[in-house]
Amino acid sequence: MVSTPFSDEANSLRDAGKLLESDGVRLEFSSGAALTGDAVLVASGRRSNTGHLRLEKAGVKTAERGIIPVNEHFQTNIENIYAAGDVIGFPALASTSVEQVRRAVRHALGLGGSTISPLLPNGIYTIPEVSMVGETEESLKKKAVYYVVGRANYRENARGRIIGDQDGFLKLLFRQDDLKLIGVHIMGELATEVVHIGLMAMMCNASANLFVDACFNLPTLGLLYKSATLNALQNVPPSEKHA
């Protein structure tokens, strides 16, 4: 029913599942709740496809799940052997892999270069698309950082109405004390494109004033940033109001 060597969690899920006579699957959870469905999809992580490379012959060390440890220049424990992309683990995105390879090659050729920005956008190409960059409300709460949330809905945006997206939204997270943008979350049409506006703003350490002062083309989804920012400013506590 569920077969994977990756984790004890997956094995626990296998043990919790029961095949039904109707070819379905019933899952019973520790909380006492139960869920019945046609099938169970287990997402237990990925294993780097390095087993067939015979890396041990070159002296290259690997870690759990076949991941190859590297330094900031993407060198393995053998300094003239580099690794980049999915084989080195998180974030394992096509976008970051390209940047990693570029920097690894430049270092190998002695050309130098800058480090990759720690602000890495994530995109899920589903319908609707989902994308984010930076902090989440959960991460900010764990760090005890006070923040302000601003939201804008596609259905209230002219371009959003044109493309017929009634459920999409943009959520911005601003640090409360200086209104610096620290998180962008989007769900809706072209989310993986629209997120880059927030990414560029965050890389420039921009505050809410950037979007308040900017004039966006109309109709565009980019205008969601201005709407979400104005919404955030309404949520700033009176004692934190900025001139």
Side-chain angles (χ1 to χ4, degrees), residues 6 27 39 63 77 85 91-92 118 133-134 150 152-154 162 166 172 175 178 182 192 200 212 227:
F6 284 160
L27 291 177
N77 61 296
V133 63
N153 297 312
Y154 276 49
I162 290 172
Q166 295 294 310
L172 301 181
R175 194 163 57 198
D178 58 3
I182 53 178
T192 55
M200 293 296 105
V212 172
S227 301

Side-chain angles (χ1 to χ4, degrees), residues 22-232:
S22 59
D23 294 330
V25 179
R26 175 184 172 84
L27 291 177
E28 298 177 353
F29 301 97
S30 58
S31 64
L35 182 66
T36 301
D38 296 327
V40 177
L41 174 64
V42 179
S44 59
R46 293 187 285 181
R47 182 182 297 275
S48 293
N49 189 23
T50 57
H52 68 290
L53 297 179
R54 303 177 69 183
L55 296 174
E56 68 279 1
K57 298 293 184 179
V60 176
K61 296 180 179 179
T62 58
E64 185 179 4
R65 297 194 179 194
I67 290 175
I68 303 175
V70 296
N71 63 16
E72 68 274 18
H73 303 300
F74 303 100
Q75 293 171 293
T76 66
N77 61 296
I78 306 300
E79 65 176 15
N80 62 331
I81 298 179
Y82 292 72
D86 292 8
V87 295
I88 67 172
F90 181 85
L93 301 170
S95 55
T96 54
S97 297
V98 170
E99 296 298 327
Q100 291 167 355
V101 169
R102 177 173 176 271
R103 284 161 174 79
V105 171
R106 290 185 61 86
H107 186 269
L109 297 177
L111 300 177
S114 60
T115 58
I116 298 176
S117 168
L119 293 170
L120 303 175
N122 285 286
I124 304 176
Y125 298 89
T126 50
I127 300 175
E129 288 187 359
V130 182
S131 194
M132 63 86 64
V133 63
E135 301 282 0
T136 65
E137 291 195 63
E138 181 181 13
S139 67
L140 292 174
K141 289 175 181 177
K142 289 182 178 178
K143 297 175 182 178
V145 174
Y146 290 98
Y147 62 93
V148 179
V149 179
R151 295 181 173 85
N153 297 312
Y154 276 49
R155 64 178 175 271
E156 298 167 354
N157 173 276
R159 177 53 68 87
R161 291 196 295 270
I162 290 172
I163 62 180
D165 192 331
Q166 295 294 310
D167 302 310
F169 66 90
L170 166 68
K171 180 173 77 172
L172 301 181
L173 303 177
F174 296 92
R175 194 163 57 198
Q176 184 171 296
D177 59 356
D178 58 3
L179 292 181
K180 176 183 176 181
L181 181 65
I182 53 178
V184 178
H185 302 263
I186 313 174
M187 179 179 291
E189 188 76 12
L190 296 175
T192 55
E193 295 280 354
V194 180
V195 72
H196 293 131
I197 297 175
L199 169 65
M200 293 296 105
M202 291 173 65
M203 290 185 69
C204 296
N205 294 312
S207 70
N209 289 335
L210 175 69
F211 300 117
V212 172
D213 296 340
C215 180
F216 289 84
N217 278 329
L218 182 66
T220 62
L221 293 176
L223 188 58
L224 288 165
Y225 280 89
K226 193 179 191 77
S227 301
T229 300
L230 293 174
N231 175 253

